[in-house]
Amino acid sequence: MARRGRGPTVTVQRKGPGVVGTMARTAVIASTATATSRAVSGAMGGSAQAQQQQVANAAAMQSQAEIDQLKAQMDVMQMQQTLAATPAPPAVAAAPAASPDILGQLQQLTQLKDAGALSDAEFQLAKAKLLAG
């Protein structure tokens, strides 16, 4: 059909995608970039969280070791106080009556030394006090 009053109709073909096609391609690229950015961010965040968890675990283990060491020191101090507070048996007392008590205390000292609560020097000192008294 021909139009009246106007000149011939010229159809121009575009040489690329139209506006709608360009917008669609831009939207796809933007969403892909966003998804990639979030994935990389999440991977780095997980790595940082794992590192923080390792630091926290190391600190907790160190704290527990310090607590165990303090408990051992308290046990040694209590044992020393008990030994210092124990009155020396009379020199005239019969040896068989004092023997089970000394043996029990020597066994306690040996157990404390084996558990690591007493050093060799502390063990020898406490043993000498028991045997001398």
Side-chain angles (χ1 to χ4, degrees):
M1 300 181 136
R3 292 184 166 176
R4 289 189 185 175
R6 292 190 180 185
T9 307
V10 178
T11 307
V12 178
Q13 288 188 341
R14 297 179 190 243
K15 293 185 178 180
V19 174
V20 173
T22 302
M23 288 176 60
R25 189 170 78 187
T26 303
V28 168
I29 292 171
S31 66
T32 302
T34 301
T36 303
S37 173
R38 286 184 182 159
V40 169
S41 172
M44 288 182 173
S47 172
Q49 287 175 348
Q51 186 177 10
Q52 285 178 345
Q53 185 66 31
Q54 287 176 348
V55 169
N57 288 344
M61 290 175 66
Q62 182 179 3
S63 296
Q64 186 62 40
E66 290 173 359
I67 289 170
D68 292 341
Q69 184 179 9
L70 289 173
K71 284 181 181 179
Q73 288 175 355
M74 285 180 56
D75 290 341
V76 169
M77 291 173 63
Q78 288 175 349
M79 184 61 154
Q80 289 173 346
Q81 288 175 351
T82 303
L83 290 175
T86 305
V92 185
S99 184
D101 186 46
I102 291 175
L103 287 176
Q105 289 180 350
L106 283 173
Q107 288 174 347
Q108 277 185 327
L109 286 174
T110 304
Q111 289 173 352
L112 286 171
K113 180 183 170 215
D114 291 342
L118 288 177
S119 67
D120 288 332
E122 292 169 333
F123 174 75
Q124 294 298 331
L125 177 67
K127 184 173 90 173
K129 281 184 182 180
L130 278 176
L131 296 176

